[in-house]
Amino acid sequence: MSPRTVTVGAARARPCTLVVCRGCCCGNPRKHPGTDHAWQLDRLRAAAAEHGFQVRTTDCLGPCDQANVIVVQPSAAGRRAGGRATWIGFAMDDDCTDDVLRWAADGGPGMAKTPAALELQFIRPPREARLRARR
């Protein structure tokens, strides 16, 4: 089996991925007191292990005024079904975390219906917001 075959196969099986911002504002207890940021990340990782999706952390994603930010990336199958990365802002409370977990466990963008309350927290990716502002 060639390395390319393995890479293509791995890409076909890529699961839904949660990219959790933990930059300057997101996950910062001084900027957002009363939110247990470490506990939220622990919950996301535990659910990922149980349901087969992935969780990654990254430095600042950009929309700091809408912290905490989580990007839900579709699985390979979800992308083939039309799913696209979805940006969620103000993702700090238990209800939002529950909705994100449920959606990712069900397959995420392109594979599962988005929880209605979560749709209210969708935000534009920083580049898309800048492009729209120029028009």
Side-chain angles (χ1 to χ4, degrees):
M1 190 179 272
S2 73
R4 179 159 170 74
T5 305
V6 172
T7 303
V8 170
R12 281 193 184 129
R14 189 188 57 143
C16 177
T17 302
L18 305 180
V19 181
V20 182
C21 184
R22 285 298 183 252
C24 60
C25 296
C26 297
N28 186 331
R30 285 183 295 177
K31 290 191 177 188
H32 301 287
T35 300
D36 191 340
H37 303 282
W39 176 82
Q40 181 188 44
L41 198 51
D42 289 345
R43 268 188 81 198
L44 295 172
R45 288 180 172 151
E50 181 180 344
H51 296 287
F53 58 88
Q54 295 180 342
V55 174
R56 291 184 11 228
T57 58
T58 189
D59 201 12
C60 187
L61 287 170
C64 296
D65 60 330
Q66 297 168 326
N68 288 344
V69 176
I70 297 175
V71 179
V72 183
Q73 297 178 327
S75 65
R79 186 163 294 282
R80 285 191 300 275
R84 295 294 174 254
T86 303
W87 288 58
I88 301 165
F90 311 104
M92 288 189 265
D93 66 18
D94 291 340
D95 292 336
C96 178
T97 301
D98 290 343
D99 286 345
V100 169
L101 292 176
R102 188 175 318 107
W103 191 29
D106 289 346
M111 300 300 290
K113 183 167 173 34
T114 309
L118 196 58
E119 288 182 4
L120 299 172
Q121 292 181 245
F122 285 3
I123 60 173
R124 288 192 176 115
R127 183 166 193 272
E128 181 181 321
R130 283 193 310 270
L131 289 175
R132 287 185 194 272
R134 288 186 201 156
R135 292 182 187 161

